[in-house]
Amino acid sequence: LDRISYVLGIYKALHIIFARPEQADTWIRRPNDALPFAGKPAADVLFSGRMEDLIRVRRYLDGQRGAW
């Protein structure tokens, strides 16, 4: 349930950050120079299988949308 909650939170945050749904839906596959991703797509981090990585991406996106 925790994993599902983080995945849904990531999805929601992306759709708040990006005005166009296709931007939100493709964000995880685009290379990203932000600190948590080191030039890799967010998908590389998200699909590592580690709960900590889901949490890290969720926190990053929450920070980007000003949810802190």
Side-chain angles (χ1 to χ4, degrees), residues 1-15 28 46-47 50-51 53-55 57-58 61:
L1 288 175
D2 287 338
R3 287 182 190 273
I4 292 170
S5 173
Y6 280 104
V7 169
L8 291 175
I10 290 167
Y11 176 86
K12 178 181 176 183
L14 286 170
H15 284 269
I28 66 167
L46 288 171
F47 302 141
R50 297 178 1 166
M51 184 70 165
D53 291 331
L54 286 173
I55 294 168
V57 173
R58 171 75 185 273
L61 291 171

Side-chain angles (χ1 to χ4, degrees), residues 9-34:
I10 290 167
Y11 176 86
K12 178 181 176 183
L14 286 170
H15 284 269
I16 290 170
I17 293 169
F18 295 104
R20 295 185 0 232
E22 60 272 5
Q23 289 176 303
D25 294 340
T26 60
W27 178 84
I28 66 167
R29 291 183 183 87
R30 292 193 309 259
N32 193 324
D33 289 330

Side-chain angles (χ1 to χ4, degrees), residues 36-49:
F37 312 110
K40 299 177 187 175
D44 289 359
V45 175
L46 288 171
F47 302 141
S48 72

